[in-house]
Amino acid sequence: MIEMHLFISYALILLGCFFALSTTIGILRFPDLYTRIHAGAVALTMSALLITVGTAVYVWELFLSLKILLIGVFLLISNPMATHAIARVAYRHRIAIPVSRDLSSRQKFEEDNRHDSS
Amino acid sequence: MKVFLTAIILAFTGGALFVNLGSIPDSFLLSHTASRFYREAVVTETGALNTVSAILYDFRAFDSLGESTVIFATVSGIVLLLSRKTLPVSSAGLSLIVKRTFGILTPFVFLLSVYIILHGHLSPGGGFQGGVLLAVITIIFCIIYGSSFDLSRYPPQRKTLIETTGALLFLGVGIIGIALTGSFLGNPSAWRGVPGTLPSAGSIVPINLGVGLKVGAGLAIIFYSMIQKTLKRQ
Amino acid sequence: MTLLEAFLLPLLLVIAILVVAFRDLLSSVITLSVFSTVLAIIYIIHQAPDVALAEVVIGSGLMTAVYIAVISKIRTYRQTHKRGEKE
């Protein structure tokens, strides 16, 4: 029985490590700031959540597990919020221009900025 | 030439530090005098389970008083240099999603800081760490909600009041120590209680509270007076 | 010396060299907060949670905010100064 929950926790933590690795590869390989923070938002939240749940299963005491799960809930709230703030600031202050092949979204970006600055 | 001179100075300093490392007394002396005394006497003499907190706020409480005086001097200097009569202009802050998320998260930050301050004698942490977390709340207010929100909620006069209250609490505990035990910052044995419970450890808990209020309000004043004129939006 | 420590101590050295080597001040400050986080993990390995808590809160939380405030203050001062020279 004890072996069983250790096995589950190891599986969860390994899955979380896989998501963290894919986050790192995504941040290194994607061409643009927006796609990079997309990798940082989605996969990193998933990996942090999986690792906290795995740790909560690993310690297997009621109050300790609840505290660790609370950390996971805070990560679930705060990481997408930080990504949203970074993307919004980068778009509005023209720090990074989105790379795209079609001209319409590029023109829309220019129009938004002209509207902001005027 | 400059790089060569820098390398010579660095090598000389490193060599001097290595020689000093060699002349530290051997581990027998270190482990059998002071640290052994602290290890054996910390529960019976102070009632605290956290040895670091007991040494900082009981055995070496006078040093902690000096440290908080240093923080007070730093706050005075920075406020004297940086504060002008200009009101903060920024009221925009970040977007609505960030504001609402921090509306959920900020009470938990406050709860964690109060927990760290009040459990300083039982678990890792203490007045200094919890106080810095209290100062982080001001940073959140200034960056997320704009510094006029911080001005309307916690004006600098109230921060100064909190800081002075902390310092006076520290000194008051010291004077009560004179009255009850005969020495400044002494730990009165009537307050000690059962070691391991929350109301125990004598004068360590009010000293933790005083240091926490003082450090939190002091660092908040430093950050507020630094950010005051920079968040202006064109 | 455990395996984690043997990995973290050279990483600390690399991050410290990066902090000095960056020419951009903002990158340097952010790398300094990474340095504080790695140093806090080493403190926890060495059984000093008090110091680790202080290092995390001060080094990677408060000092980063104060440094960024100072850097933005310097940049706005430089911009207004340049604008004043041109006029």
Side-chain angles (χ1 to χ4, degrees), chain B residues 142-219:
Chain B
C142 281
I143 293 178
I144 309 292
Y145 296 94
S147 54
S148 64
F149 180 82
D150 190 53
L151 180 80
S152 67
R153 289 296 173 91
Y154 302 106
Q157 290 86 11
R158 198 175 297 166
K159 280 173 193 156
T160 316
L161 188 69
I162 292 172
E163 190 190 6
T164 321
T165 311
L168 285 181
L169 190 61
F170 202 147
L171 284 176
V173 170
I175 290 171
I176 289 174
I178 290 183
L180 289 184
T181 65
S183 64
F184 187 63
L185 286 166
N187 197 348
S189 59
W191 293 0
R192 252 172 235 163
V194 185
T197 54
L198 187 57
S200 68
S203 65
I204 292 180
V205 179
I207 287 178
N208 259 327
L209 194 59
V211 170
L213 292 178
K214 181 165 176 49
V215 168
L219 294 179

Side-chain angles (χ1 to χ4, degrees), chain C residues 6 19 21:
Chain C
V19 169

Side-chain angles (χ1 to χ4, degrees), chain B residues 1 16 37 39-40 70 94 116 121 125 141 144-145 149 162 212 220 223 234:
Chain B
M1 186 59 205
F37 166 72
R39 209 169 59 224
E40 287 169 354
V70 167
L94 297 181
I116 288 177
H121 57 291
F141 280 171
I144 309 292
Y145 296 94
F149 180 82
I162 292 172
F223 185 77
Q234 277 87 16

Side-chain angles (χ1 to χ4, degrees), chain A residues 60-77:
Chain A
W60 205 247
E61 283 178 28
L62 184 58
F63 281 103
L64 213 53
S65 296
L66 280 180
K67 280 179 200 169
I68 295 171
L69 284 181
L70 202 62
I71 295 175
V73 169
F74 286 146
L75 281 172
L76 184 64
I77 295 174

Side-chain angles (χ1 to χ4, degrees), chain C residues 26-44:
Chain C
L26 206 58
S27 322
S28 192
V29 167
I30 292 169
T31 320
L32 197 62
S33 84
V34 177
F35 180 84
S36 289
T37 313
V38 177
L39 194 60
I41 297 173
I42 291 175
Y43 282 144
I44 287 179

Side-chain angles (χ1 to χ4, degrees), chain A residues 67 70 74 77-78 81 84-85 88-89 93, chain B residues 94-95 97-98 101-102 104-105 108 115 233:
Chain A
K67 280 179 200 169
L70 202 62
F74 286 146
I77 295 174
S78 68
M81 186 269 305
H84 159 77
R88 185 182 159 92
V89 166
H93 289 248
Chain B
L94 297 181
S95 68
I97 299 174
V98 184
T101 314
F102 270 95
I104 299 170
L105 286 184
F108 286 100
Y115 170 81
R233 303 220 172 221

